[in-house]
Structures are given as structure tokens and as C-alpha cells.
Coordinates of all heavy atoms in Angstrom, one line a residue:
M1 N -188.3 91.8 -201.6 CA -186.9 92.1 -201.9 C -186.4 93.1 -200.8 O -187.1 94.0 -200.4 CB -186.9 92.8 -203.3 CG -185.5 93.1 -203.8 SD -184.5 91.6 -204.0 CE -185.2 91.0 -205.5
A2 N -185.2 92.9 -200.4 CA -184.7 93.7 -199.4 C -183.5 94.5 -199.9 O -182.7 94.0 -200.7 CB -184.2 92.9 -198.2
H3 N -183.4 95.8 -199.5 CA -182.4 96.7 -200.0 C -181.3 96.9 -199.0 O -181.6 96.8 -197.8 CB -183.0 98.0 -200.5 CG -183.9 97.9 -201.6 ND1 -185.2 97.7 -201.5 CD2 -183.6 98.0 -202.9 CE1 -185.8 97.7 -202.7 NE2 -184.9 97.8 -203.6
K4 N -180.2 97.3 -199.4 CA -179.2 97.8 -198.5 C -178.7 99.1 -199.1 O -178.6 99.3 -200.3 CB -178.1 96.9 -198.2 CG -177.1 96.6 -199.3 CD -176.0 95.7 -198.8 CE -175.1 95.4 -200.0 NZ -174.0 94.4 -199.6
Y5 N -178.4 100.1 -198.2 CA -178.0 101.4 -198.6 C -176.7 101.7 -197.9 O -176.4 101.2 -196.9 CB -179.0 102.4 -198.1 CG -180.4 102.2 -198.6 CD1 -181.4 101.6 -197.8 CD2 -180.8 102.6 -199.9 CE1 -182.7 101.4 -198.2 CE2 -182.1 102.4 -200.3 CZ -183.0 101.7 -199.5 OH -184.3 101.5 -199.9
R6 N -175.9 102.5 -198.6 CA -174.7 103.0 -198.0 C -174.9 104.4 -197.5 O -175.3 105.3 -198.2 CB -173.6 102.9 -199.0 CG -172.2 103.3 -198.5 CD -171.1 102.9 -199.5 NE -170.8 101.5 -199.3 CZ -170.0 101.0 -198.4 NH1 -169.4 101.8 -197.6 NH2 -169.8 99.7 -198.3
Y7 N -174.5 104.6 -196.3 CA -174.6 106.0 -195.7 C -173.2 106.5 -195.4 O -172.3 105.7 -195.1 CB -175.4 105.9 -194.3 CG -176.9 106.0 -194.5 CD1 -177.6 104.9 -195.0 CD2 -177.6 107.1 -194.1 CE1 -179.0 105.0 -195.1 CE2 -179.0 107.2 -194.2 CZ -179.6 106.1 -194.7 OH -181.0 106.2 -194.8
R8 N -173.0 107.8 -195.6 CA -171.7 108.3 -195.3 C -171.9 109.6 -194.5 O -172.8 110.4 -194.8 CB -171.0 108.7 -196.7 CG -169.6 109.2 -196.5 CD -168.9 109.5 -197.8 NE -168.8 108.4 -198.7 CZ -169.2 108.3 -199.9 NH1 -169.8 109.3 -200.5 NH2 -169.1 107.2 -200.6
C9 N -171.0 109.8 -193.6 CA -171.0 111.0 -192.7 C -170.5 112.2 -193.5 O -169.4 112.1 -194.1 CB -170.1 110.8 -191.5 SG -170.0 112.3 -190.5
K10 N -171.2 113.3 -193.5 CA -170.8 114.4 -194.3 C -169.5 115.1 -193.6 O -168.8 115.8 -194.3 CB -171.9 115.5 -194.3 CG -173.0 115.1 -195.3 CD -173.9 116.2 -195.7 CE -174.8 116.7 -194.5 NZ -175.8 117.7 -195.0
A11 N -169.4 114.9 -192.3 CA -168.3 115.5 -191.6 C -167.0 114.7 -191.6 O -165.9 115.3 -191.9 CB -168.7 115.8 -190.2
C12 N -167.0 113.4 -191.3 CA -165.8 112.7 -191.2 C -165.6 111.6 -192.2 O -164.6 110.9 -192.3 CB -165.6 112.1 -189.8 SG -166.7 110.7 -189.5
G13 N -166.6 111.3 -193.0 CA -166.5 110.3 -194.1 C -166.8 108.9 -193.6 O -166.6 107.9 -194.4
Y14 N -167.2 108.7 -192.4 CA -167.5 107.3 -191.9 C -168.6 106.7 -192.8 O -169.6 107.4 -193.1 CB -167.9 107.3 -190.5 CG -168.3 106.0 -189.9 CD1 -167.4 105.0 -189.7 CD2 -169.7 105.7 -189.7 CE1 -167.8 103.7 -189.2 CE2 -170.1 104.5 -189.2 CZ -169.1 103.5 -188.9 OH -169.5 102.3 -188.5
E15 N -168.5 105.5 -193.2 CA -169.5 104.8 -194.0 C -170.0 103.6 -193.3 O -169.3 102.9 -192.6 CB -168.9 104.4 -195.4 CG -168.6 105.6 -196.3 CD -168.2 105.1 -197.7 OE1 -168.2 103.9 -197.9 OE2 -167.9 106.0 -198.5
A16 N -171.3 103.4 -193.5 CA -171.9 102.2 -193.0 C -173.0 101.7 -194.0 O -173.6 102.5 -194.7 CB -172.6 102.4 -191.7
E17 N -173.2 100.4 -194.0 CA -174.2 99.8 -194.8 C -175.5 99.6 -193.9 O -175.4 99.0 -192.9 CB -173.8 98.5 -195.5 CG -172.8 98.8 -196.6 CD -172.5 97.5 -197.4 OE1 -172.5 96.4 -196.8 OE2 -172.1 97.7 -198.5
I18 N -176.6 100.1 -194.4 CA -177.8 100.0 -193.7 C -178.8 99.1 -194.5 O -179.0 99.3 -195.7 CB -178.5 101.4 -193.6 CG1 -177.5 102.4 -193.0 CG2 -179.8 101.4 -192.7 CD1 -176.9 102.1 -191.6
Y19 N -179.4 98.1 -193.8 CA -180.2 97.2 -194.4 C -181.7 97.5 -194.2 O -182.1 97.9 -193.1 CB -179.9 95.8 -193.8 CG -178.5 95.4 -194.1 CD1 -177.5 95.8 -193.2 CD2 -178.2 94.6 -195.2 CE1 -176.2 95.4 -193.5 CE2 -176.9 94.2 -195.4 CZ -175.9 94.6 -194.6 OH -174.6 94.3 -194.8
D20 N -182.5 97.3 -195.2 CA -183.9 97.6 -195.1 C -184.7 96.4 -195.6 O -184.3 95.7 -196.5 CB -184.2 98.8 -196.0 CG -185.5 99.4 -195.8 OD1 -186.1 99.2 -194.7 OD2 -186.0 100.1 -196.7
G21 N -185.9 96.2 -195.1 CA -186.7 95.1 -195.5 C -186.4 93.8 -194.8 O -185.7 93.8 -193.7
F22 N -186.9 92.7 -195.3 CA -186.8 91.4 -194.6 C -186.0 90.4 -195.5 O -186.2 90.4 -196.7 CB -188.2 90.8 -194.3 CG -188.9 91.5 -193.2 CD1 -189.6 92.7 -193.5 CD2 -188.8 91.1 -191.9 CE1 -190.2 93.4 -192.4 CE2 -189.4 91.8 -190.9 CZ -190.1 92.9 -191.1
G23 N -185.2 89.6 -194.9 CA -184.4 88.6 -195.6 C -185.2 87.4 -195.9 O -186.4 87.3 -195.5
F24 N -184.6 86.4 -196.6 CA -185.3 85.2 -197.0 C -185.8 84.3 -195.9 O -186.7 83.5 -196.1 CB -184.5 84.5 -198.1 CG -183.4 83.7 -197.4 CD1 -183.5 82.3 -197.2 CD2 -182.2 84.3 -197.1 CE1 -182.4 81.6 -196.7 CE2 -181.2 83.6 -196.5 CZ -181.3 82.3 -196.3
M25 N -185.3 84.5 -194.7 CA -185.7 83.7 -193.6 C -186.7 84.5 -192.7 O -187.0 84.1 -191.6 CB -184.6 83.2 -192.8 CG -183.7 82.2 -193.5 SD -182.4 81.4 -192.4 CE -181.5 82.8 -191.9
G26 N -187.1 85.6 -193.2 CA -188.1 86.4 -192.4 C -187.4 87.3 -191.4 O -188.1 88.0 -190.7
Q27 N -186.1 87.3 -191.4 CA -185.4 88.1 -190.5 C -185.3 89.6 -191.0 O -185.4 89.8 -192.2 CB -184.0 87.6 -190.2 CG -182.9 88.0 -191.3 CD -182.9 87.0 -192.5 OE1 -183.9 86.4 -192.8 NE2 -181.8 87.0 -193.2
H28 N -185.1 90.5 -190.1 CA -184.8 91.8 -190.5 C -183.6 92.3 -189.8 O -183.1 91.7 -188.8 CB -186.0 92.8 -190.5 CG -186.4 93.1 -189.1 ND1 -187.1 92.3 -188.3 CD2 -186.2 94.2 -188.3 CE1 -187.4 92.8 -187.1 NE2 -186.8 94.0 -187.1
I29 N -183.0 93.4 -190.2 CA -181.7 93.8 -189.7 C -181.9 95.2 -189.1 O -182.3 96.1 -189.8 CB -180.6 93.8 -190.7 CG1 -180.4 92.3 -191.1 CG2 -179.3 94.4 -190.1 CD1 -179.3 92.2 -192.2
V30 N -181.7 95.3 -187.8 CA -181.8 96.6 -187.1 C -180.4 97.2 -187.0 O -179.5 96.5 -186.7 CB -182.4 96.4 -185.7 CG1 -182.4 97.7 -184.9 CG2 -183.8 95.9 -185.8
T31 N -180.3 98.4 -187.4 CA -179.0 99.1 -187.3 C -178.9 99.7 -185.9 O -179.8 100.5 -185.5 CB -178.8 100.2 -188.3 OG1 -178.9 99.6 -189.6 CG2 -177.4 100.8 -188.2
V32 N -177.8 99.4 -185.2 CA -177.6 99.9 -183.8 C -176.3 100.7 -183.8 O -175.4 100.5 -184.6 CB -177.6 98.8 -182.7 CG1 -178.9 98.1 -182.7 CG2 -176.5 97.8 -183.0
S33 N -176.3 101.7 -182.9 CA -175.1 102.6 -182.8 C -174.5 102.2 -181.5 O -175.1 102.1 -180.4 CB -175.6 104.0 -182.8 OG -174.5 104.9 -182.6
C34 N -173.1 102.0 -181.5 CA -172.4 101.6 -180.3 C -171.6 102.8 -179.8 O -170.7 103.3 -180.5 CB -171.5 100.4 -180.5 SG -170.5 100.0 -179.1
P35 N -171.9 103.3 -178.6 CA -171.1 104.5 -178.1 C -169.7 104.1 -177.6 O -168.9 105.0 -177.4 CB -172.0 104.9 -176.9 CG -172.7 103.7 -176.4 CD -172.9 102.9 -177.7
D36 N -169.4 102.8 -177.5 CA -168.1 102.4 -177.0 C -167.1 102.3 -178.1 O -166.0 102.9 -178.0 CB -168.2 101.1 -176.2 CG -168.8 101.3 -174.8 OD1 -168.8 102.4 -174.3 OD2 -169.2 100.3 -174.2
C37 N -167.4 101.6 -179.2 CA -166.4 101.6 -180.2 C -166.8 102.5 -181.4 O -166.1 102.5 -182.4 CB -166.2 100.1 -180.7 SG -167.7 99.4 -181.4
R38 N -167.9 103.2 -181.2 CA -168.3 104.3 -182.2 C -168.4 103.7 -183.6 O -167.8 104.2 -184.5 CB -167.3 105.4 -182.1 CG -167.3 106.1 -180.8 CD -166.4 107.3 -180.7 NE -166.7 108.1 -179.6 CZ -166.7 109.4 -179.6 NH1 -166.4 110.1 -180.7 NH2 -167.0 110.1 -178.5
T39 N -169.2 102.7 -183.7 CA -169.5 102.2 -185.0 C -171.0 101.9 -185.1 O -171.7 101.8 -184.1 CB -168.8 100.8 -185.3 OG1 -169.2 99.9 -184.3 CG2 -167.3 101.0 -185.2
L40 N -171.5 101.7 -186.3 CA -172.8 101.2 -186.5 C -172.8 99.7 -186.8 O -171.9 99.3 -187.5 CB -173.5 102.0 -187.7 CG -173.7 103.5 -187.5 CD1 -174.3 104.0 -188.8 CD2 -174.6 103.7 -186.4
Q41 N -173.6 99.0 -186.2 CA -173.6 97.5 -186.4 C -175.0 97.1 -186.9 O -176.0 97.5 -186.4 CB -173.4 96.9 -185.0 CG -172.1 97.3 -184.3 CD -170.9 96.6 -184.9 OE1 -171.0 95.5 -185.4 NE2 -169.8 97.3 -184.8
P42 N -175.0 96.1 -187.8 CA -176.2 95.5 -188.2 C -176.6 94.4 -187.3 O -175.7 93.5 -187.0 CB -175.9 95.0 -189.6 CG -174.4 94.7 -189.6 CD -173.8 95.6 -188.6
L43 N -177.8 94.4 -186.7 CA -178.2 93.4 -185.8 C -179.3 92.6 -186.4 O -180.4 93.1 -186.7 CB -178.6 94.1 -184.5 CG -178.5 93.3 -183.2 CD1 -177.1 93.0 -182.9 CD2 -179.1 94.2 -182.1
V44 N -179.1 91.3 -186.6 CA -180.2 90.4 -187.2 C -181.2 90.1 -186.1 O -180.9 89.6 -185.0 CB -179.6 89.1 -187.8 CG1 -180.7 88.3 -188.3 CG2 -178.6 89.5 -188.9
V45 N -182.5 90.4 -186.4 CA -183.5 90.2 -185.5 C -184.6 89.3 -186.1 O -185.0 89.6 -187.3 CB -184.2 91.5 -185.0 CG1 -185.4 91.3 -184.1 CG2 -183.1 92.4 -184.4
G46 N -185.1 88.3 -185.4 CA -186.2 87.5 -185.8 C -185.9 86.5 -186.9 O -184.8 86.1 -187.1
G47 N -187.0 86.1 -187.6 CA -186.9 85.1 -188.6 C -186.6 83.7 -188.1 O -186.9 83.4 -186.9
V48 N -186.1 82.8 -188.9 CA -185.9 81.4 -188.5 C -184.9 81.4 -187.3 O -185.0 80.6 -186.4 CB -185.3 80.6 -189.7 CG1 -184.9 79.2 -189.2 CG2 -186.4 80.5 -190.7
I49 N -183.9 82.2 -187.4 CA -182.9 82.2 -186.3 C -183.6 82.6 -185.0 O -183.3 82.0 -183.9 CB -181.8 83.3 -186.6 CG1 -181.1 83.0 -187.9 CG2 -180.7 83.3 -185.5 CD1 -180.2 84.1 -188.5
G50 N -184.5 83.5 -185.0 CA -185.2 83.9 -183.8 C -186.1 82.8 -183.3 O -186.2 82.6 -182.0
D51 N -186.6 81.9 -184.1 CA -187.4 80.8 -183.7 C -186.5 79.8 -183.0 O -186.9 79.2 -182.0 CB -188.1 80.1 -184.9 CG -189.2 81.0 -185.4 OD1 -189.6 82.0 -184.7 OD2 -189.6 80.8 -186.6
A52 N -185.3 79.6 -183.5 CA -184.4 78.6 -182.9 C -183.8 79.1 -181.6 O -183.5 78.4 -180.7 CB -183.3 78.2 -183.9
A53 N -183.5 80.4 -181.6 CA -182.8 81.0 -180.4 C -183.6 82.3 -180.0 O -183.4 83.3 -180.6 CB -181.4 81.4 -180.8
P54 N -184.5 82.1 -179.0 CA -185.3 83.2 -178.6 C -184.6 84.6 -178.4 O -185.2 85.6 -178.6 CB -186.0 82.8 -177.4 CG -186.0 81.3 -177.5 CD -184.7 81.0 -178.2
S55 N -183.4 84.5 -178.0 CA -182.7 85.8 -177.7 C -182.4 86.6 -179.0 O -182.1 87.7 -178.9 CB -181.3 85.5 -177.0 OG -180.5 84.8 -177.8
F56 N -182.5 85.9 -180.1 CA -182.3 86.6 -181.4 C -183.6 87.2 -181.9 O -183.6 87.9 -182.9 CB -181.8 85.6 -182.4 CG -180.3 85.5 -182.3 CD1 -179.7 84.5 -181.5 CD2 -179.4 86.2 -183.1 CE1 -178.4 84.4 -181.4 CE2 -178.1 86.1 -183.0 CZ -177.5 85.2 -182.2
S57 N -184.7 87.0 -181.3 CA -186.0 87.5 -181.8 C -186.3 88.9 -181.4 O -187.3 89.5 -181.7 CB -187.1 86.6 -181.4 OG -187.3 86.6 -180.0
T58 N -185.5 89.5 -180.5 CA -185.6 90.8 -180.1 C -184.3 91.5 -180.1 O -183.3 90.9 -179.9 CB -186.3 90.9 -178.7 OG1 -186.2 92.2 -178.2 CG2 -185.7 89.9 -177.7
E59 N -184.3 92.8 -180.1 CA -183.0 93.6 -180.1 C -182.7 93.8 -178.6 O -181.6 94.3 -178.3 CB -183.1 94.8 -180.9 CG -184.1 95.8 -180.3 CD -184.5 96.9 -181.3 OE1 -185.3 96.5 -182.2 OE2 -184.0 98.0 -181.3
A60 N -183.6 93.6 -177.7 CA -183.3 93.9 -176.3 C -182.2 92.9 -175.7 O -182.2 91.7 -176.0 CB -184.6 93.7 -175.4
G61 N -181.3 93.5 -175.0 CA -180.3 92.6 -174.3 C -179.2 92.2 -175.3 O -178.3 91.4 -174.9
R62 N -179.1 92.7 -176.5 CA -178.1 92.3 -177.4 C -176.8 93.1 -177.2 O -176.9 94.2 -176.6 CB -178.6 92.5 -178.9 CG -179.9 91.8 -179.2 CD -179.7 90.3 -179.3 NE -178.9 90.0 -180.4 CZ -179.3 89.8 -181.6 NH1 -180.6 90.0 -181.9 NH2 -178.5 89.5 -182.6
L63 N -175.7 92.5 -177.6 CA -174.4 93.2 -177.4 C -173.9 93.6 -178.8 O -174.2 93.1 -179.8 CB -173.4 92.2 -176.8 CG -173.9 91.6 -175.4 CD1 -172.9 90.6 -174.9 CD2 -174.1 92.7 -174.4
C64 N -173.0 94.6 -178.7 CA -172.3 95.1 -179.9 C -171.5 93.9 -180.5 O -170.8 93.2 -179.8 CB -171.4 96.2 -179.5 SG -170.3 96.8 -180.9
L65 N -171.6 93.8 -181.8 CA -170.9 92.7 -182.5 C -169.4 92.9 -182.5 O -168.6 92.0 -182.7 CB -171.4 92.5 -183.9 CG -172.9 92.1 -184.1 CD1 -173.3 92.2 -185.5 CD2 -173.2 90.8 -183.4
N66 N -169.1 94.2 -182.4 CA -167.7 94.6 -182.6 C -166.9 94.5 -181.3 O -165.8 94.0 -181.2 CB -167.6 96.0 -183.2 CG -166.3 96.4 -183.7 OD1 -165.6 95.6 -184.4 ND2 -165.8 97.5 -183.3
C67 N -167.5 95.1 -180.2 CA -166.7 95.2 -178.9 C -167.4 94.6 -177.7 O -166.9 94.6 -176.6 CB -166.4 96.7 -178.7 SG -167.9 97.6 -178.2
G68 N -168.6 94.1 -177.9 CA -169.3 93.4 -176.8 C -170.0 94.3 -175.9 O -170.6 93.9 -174.9
S69 N -170.1 95.6 -176.2 CA -170.8 96.6 -175.3 C -172.2 96.3 -175.2 O -172.9 95.9 -176.2 CB -170.5 98.0 -175.9 OG -171.3 98.9 -175.2
A70 N -172.8 96.5 -174.0 CA -174.2 96.4 -173.9 C -175.0 97.7 -174.0 O -176.2 97.8 -173.8 CB -174.5 95.8 -172.5
L71 N -174.2 98.7 -174.4 CA -174.8 100.1 -174.5 C -175.4 100.4 -175.8 O -175.8 101.6 -176.1 CB -173.8 101.1 -174.1 CG -173.2 101.0 -172.6 CD1 -172.1 102.0 -172.4 CD2 -174.3 101.1 -171.6
I72 N -175.4 99.5 -176.7 CA -175.9 99.8 -178.1 C -177.3 100.2 -178.0 O -178.1 99.7 -177.2 CB -175.7 98.6 -179.0 CG1 -176.4 97.3 -178.4 CG2 -174.3 98.3 -179.3 CD1 -176.4 96.1 -179.4
R73 N -177.7 101.1 -178.9 CA -179.1 101.5 -179.0 C -179.4 101.7 -180.5 O -178.5 101.9 -181.3 CB -179.4 102.7 -178.2 CG -178.5 103.9 -178.4 CD -178.9 105.0 -177.5 NE -179.1 104.6 -176.1 CZ -178.1 104.6 -175.2 NH1 -176.9 105.1 -175.5 NH2 -178.3 104.2 -174.0
R74 N -180.7 101.6 -180.8 CA -181.1 101.7 -182.2 C -180.6 103.0 -182.8 O -180.8 104.1 -182.2 CB -182.6 101.6 -182.3 CG -183.2 101.4 -183.7 CD -184.7 101.5 -183.6 NE -185.3 100.2 -183.3 CZ -185.9 99.4 -184.2 NH1 -186.0 99.8 -185.4 NH2 -186.4 98.3 -183.8
W75 N -180.0 102.9 -184.0 CA -179.5 104.1 -184.7 C -180.7 105.0 -185.1 O -181.7 104.5 -185.5 CB -178.7 103.7 -185.9 CG -178.0 104.8 -186.6 CD1 -177.3 105.7 -186.0 CD2 -178.0 105.0 -188.0 NE1 -176.8 106.6 -187.0 CE2 -177.2 106.1 -188.2 CE3 -178.7 104.4 -189.1 CZ2 -177.0 106.6 -189.5 CZ3 -178.4 104.9 -190.3 CH2 -177.6 106.0 -190.6
D76 N -180.5 106.3 -185.0 CA -181.6 107.2 -185.3 C -181.7 107.6 -186.8 O -182.5 108.4 -187.2 CB -181.5 108.5 -184.4 CG -180.2 109.3 -184.7 OD1 -179.5 108.9 -185.7 OD2 -180.0 110.3 -184.0
G77 N -180.8 107.0 -187.6 CA -180.9 107.2 -189.0 C -180.1 108.4 -189.5 O -180.2 108.6 -190.7
K78 N -179.4 109.1 -188.7 CA -178.7 110.3 -189.2 C -177.5 110.6 -188.4 O -176.6 111.3 -189.0 CB -179.6 111.5 -189.2 CG -180.2 111.9 -187.9 CD -181.1 113.1 -188.0 CE -181.6 113.7 -186.7 NZ -182.6 112.8 -186.1
T79 N -177.3 110.2 -187.2 CA -176.2 110.7 -186.4 C -174.9 109.8 -186.6 O -175.0 108.6 -186.4 CB -176.5 110.7 -184.9 OG1 -177.7 111.5 -184.8 CG2 -175.4 111.4 -184.1
C80 N -173.8 110.4 -186.9 CA -172.6 109.6 -187.1 C -172.1 109.2 -185.7 O -171.9 110.0 -184.8 CB -171.5 110.5 -187.7 SG -169.9 109.7 -187.8
P81 N -171.7 107.8 -185.6 CA -171.3 107.4 -184.3 C -169.8 107.8 -184.0 O -169.4 107.8 -182.8 CB -171.3 105.8 -184.4 CG -171.1 105.6 -185.9 CD -171.8 106.8 -186.6
K82 N -169.1 108.2 -185.0 CA -167.7 108.7 -184.8 C -167.6 110.1 -184.3 O -166.9 110.4 -183.3 CB -167.0 108.6 -186.1 CG -166.8 107.2 -186.7 CD -165.6 106.5 -186.3 CE -165.4 105.2 -186.9 NZ -164.8 104.2 -186.0
C83 N -168.4 111.0 -184.9 CA -168.2 112.4 -184.7 C -169.4 113.2 -184.3 O -169.4 114.3 -184.0 CB -167.5 113.1 -185.9 SG -168.5 113.3 -187.3
G84 N -170.6 112.5 -184.4 CA -171.8 113.2 -184.1 C -172.4 114.0 -185.3 O -173.4 114.7 -185.2
G85 N -171.7 113.9 -186.4 CA -172.1 114.7 -187.6 C -173.3 114.0 -188.2 O -173.9 113.0 -187.7
E86 N -173.7 114.5 -189.4 CA -174.9 114.0 -190.1 C -174.5 113.0 -191.1 O -173.7 113.3 -192.0 CB -175.7 115.2 -190.7 CG -177.0 114.8 -191.3 CD -177.7 115.9 -192.1 OE1 -177.2 117.0 -192.1 OE2 -178.7 115.6 -192.7
M87 N -175.2 111.9 -191.1 CA -174.9 110.9 -192.2 C -176.0 110.9 -193.2 O -177.2 111.1 -192.9 CB -174.8 109.5 -191.5 CG -173.6 109.4 -190.6 SD -173.3 107.7 -190.0 CE -172.8 106.9 -191.5
V88 N -175.6 110.8 -194.5 CA -176.6 110.9 -195.5 C -176.5 109.6 -196.4 O -175.4 109.1 -196.5 CB -176.4 112.2 -196.4 CG1 -176.8 113.4 -195.6 CG2 -175.0 112.2 -196.9
K89 N -177.5 109.3 -197.1 CA -177.6 108.2 -198.0 C -176.8 108.5 -199.2 O -177.0 109.5 -199.8 CB -179.0 107.8 -198.3 CG -179.3 106.5 -198.9 CD -180.7 106.3 -199.3 CE -181.6 106.1 -198.0 NZ -183.0 105.8 -198.5
T90 N -175.9 107.6 -199.6 CA -175.2 107.8 -200.9 C -176.0 107.2 -202.0 O -177.1 106.6 -201.8 CB -173.8 107.1 -200.9 OG1 -174.0 105.7 -201.0 CG2 -173.0 107.5 -199.7
G91 N -175.6 107.2 -203.2 CA -176.3 106.7 -204.4 C -176.3 105.2 -204.4 O -177.1 104.6 -205.2
D92 N -175.5 104.5 -203.7 CA -175.3 103.1 -203.8 C -176.5 102.3 -203.2 O -176.7 102.5 -202.0 CB -174.0 102.6 -203.2 CG -172.8 103.2 -203.9 OD1 -173.0 103.7 -205.0 OD2 -171.7 103.2 -203.3
V93 N -177.2 101.5 -204.0 CA -178.2 100.6 -203.4 C -177.9 99.2 -203.8 O -177.6 99.0 -205.0 CB -179.6 101.0 -203.9 CG1 -180.7 100.1 -203.4 CG2 -179.9 102.5 -203.5
G94 N -177.9 98.3 -202.9 CA -177.7 96.9 -203.2 C -178.8 96.0 -202.7 O -179.8 96.5 -202.2
F95 N -178.6 94.7 -202.8 CA -179.6 93.8 -202.3 C -179.0 92.9 -201.3 O -177.8 92.6 -201.4 CB -180.2 93.0 -203.5 CG -181.0 93.9 -204.4 CD1 -180.4 94.2 -205.6 CD2 -182.2 94.4 -204.1 CE1 -181.0 95.0 -206.5 CE2 -182.9 95.2 -205.0 CZ -182.3 95.5 -206.2
W96 N -179.8 92.4 -200.4 CA -179.3 91.4 -199.5 C -180.4 90.3 -199.4 O -181.5 90.6 -199.7 CB -178.9 91.9 -198.1 CG -180.1 92.6 -197.4 CD1 -180.6 93.8 -197.6 CD2 -180.8 92.0 -196.3 NE1 -181.6 94.0 -196.7 CE2 -181.8 92.9 -195.9 CE3 -180.7 90.8 -195.6 CZ2 -182.7 92.7 -194.8 CZ3 -181.5 90.5 -194.5 CH2 -182.5 91.5 -194.2
T97 N -180.0 89.2 -198.9 CA -181.0 88.1 -198.6 C -180.9 87.6 -197.2 O -180.3 86.7 -196.9 CB -180.9 87.0 -199.6 OG1 -179.6 86.5 -199.6 CG2 -181.4 87.4 -201.0
Ligands
LIG1 ZN1 -168.7 111.5 -188.7
LIG2 ZN1 -169.1 98.4 -179.9

């Protein structure tokens, strides 16, 4: 079972959904931070999609889904991409597949 969590920035209120665990096709979702459009993006890595398209089996060389930037990097789990403030987990927990 895979969970998703909602994170919110304590400083500016930016919210993002963070995915944890593996989906039904064996994929997992890496959260990346984009310095160009200042958003967090979920990046699907691996699983069946990765077997069919090798470029999807790694997070290397991937582009921001929002603006196409190549500068995305793995989110550190706490820094707001908008303002640099601290993001904390809210009470909302959901499921994804
Ligand atoms: Zn913020
Ligand atoms: Zn971007």
C-alpha cells in the first residue's frame, strides 16, 4: 500500500502532495524541487513504465513536468521551493496506486 501526504509551508502556505511507497506497477514517485518555476513535482520512476522506456527508470536526466527545466533535484523533504521556508506534513493522508 502506498501513501500520499500533504505538506504545507509554514511560511507561505505552499502545499504539495508527496507520494511514498510503490504503486501497483512497481513504480515509485520521487519528489523533485524545481528552482526555475519554484514548485515540487512528482516524478514517476521505474516499474512497468521504466521497463518500456528506459529513460523512466531513473531520475537522472529528467525534466521538470511543469516548465521543462533540467535543473530539478531531489527534494530534501523540508525546504519550500517558493520561499525557502520549512514545509511540514499536514494531517491529511491518502492512498495512491
Ligand atoms: Zn514557502
Ligand atoms: Zn519547473
Side-chain angles (χ1 to χ4, degrees):
M1 187 63 76
H3 294 91
K4 69 178 179 186
Y5 303 99
R6 180 166 284 274
Y7 276 70
R8 183 182 298 128
C9 175
K10 287 199 286 191
C12 74
Y14 176 73
E15 290 189 1
E17 286 187 334
I18 307 301
Y19 299 83
D20 190 25
F22 287 84
F24 74 102
M25 293 188 299
Q27 82 277 24
H28 68 284
I29 298 181
V30 174
T31 302
V32 295
S33 180
C34 176
D36 283 342
C37 63
R38 298 184 162 219
T39 60
L40 296 178
Q41 303 282 333
L43 208 60
V44 177
V45 175
V48 173
I49 302 168
D51 291 341
S55 66
F56 277 84
S57 63
T58 165
E59 65 199 77
R62 303 289 293 275
L63 302 176
C64 174
L65 299 174
N66 193 46
C67 72
S69 170
L71 298 176
I72 53 172
R73 48 183 52 93
R74 190 186 277 253
W75 186 49
D76 65 4
K78 58 179 188 291
T79 305
C80 173
K82 297 267 183 217
C83 73
E86 184 185 358
M87 294 188 71
V88 294
K89 198 184 283 185
T90 71
D92 298 343
V93 177
F95 298 102
W96 64 282
T97 51

